[in-house]
Amino acid sequence: MMKMFLIMLISCLVFSCSNANEKNNSSSDTIQQNSITDTRIEDIKQAFEQKDYTKFFKLFPDTYSELVDFYGFDDITGEKPLYGLYVAHINYLF
């Protein structure tokens, strides 16, 4: 009976440690994704300032959700990073 209890206890510890690692990995992935997005936003600004149309076009958001993340406005969080530049950027795109 004691062996069975120890096996159950060790199993619970192993599973809980593995679950904690998965949570840490997902939060680090989110942080990494945010830094990639921030870099991309800065590259878009730089491409626009340098009038590098090819680079600007390649970096421009591919999906609607990216467009909202870059150029959107939210009543709760306010302006997104490129909100103030959307008119110039959209005109430059076309």
Side-chain angles (χ1 to χ4, degrees):
M1 185 70 174
M2 188 63 138
K3 286 182 184 180
M4 190 66 132
F5 178 73
L6 287 174
I7 291 172
M8 293 293 286
L9 180 64
I10 291 172
S11 298
C12 288
L13 288 173
V14 168
F15 288 127
S16 68
C17 289
S18 124
N19 191 19
N21 277 340
E22 289 175 9
K23 288 181 183 177
N24 287 339
N25 287 340
S26 68
S27 67
S28 68
D29 289 344
T30 303
I31 292 169
Q32 185 179 14
Q33 183 67 27
N34 287 340
S35 68
I36 290 170
T37 301
D38 292 342
T39 303
R40 189 169 167 201
I41 288 170
E42 290 304 316
D43 289 345
I44 289 173
K45 286 180 185 178
Q46 187 178 38
F48 177 75
E49 290 169 0
Q50 295 174 352
K51 302 297 181 197
D52 185 352
Y53 181 75
T54 305
K55 185 176 180 182
F56 180 81
F57 189 75
K58 287 180 181 179
L59 292 170
F60 198 79
D62 297 328
T63 63
Y64 179 73
S65 64
E66 283 182 349
L67 184 70
V68 171
D69 288 342
F70 290 6
Y71 293 96
F73 183 87
D74 185 10
D75 290 334
I76 297 169
T77 59
E79 297 178 355
K80 301 295 181 173
L82 297 175
Y83 178 77
L85 303 171
Y86 78 90
V87 172
H89 284 193
I90 299 298
N91 287 336
Y92 185 67
L93 183 66
F94 293 103

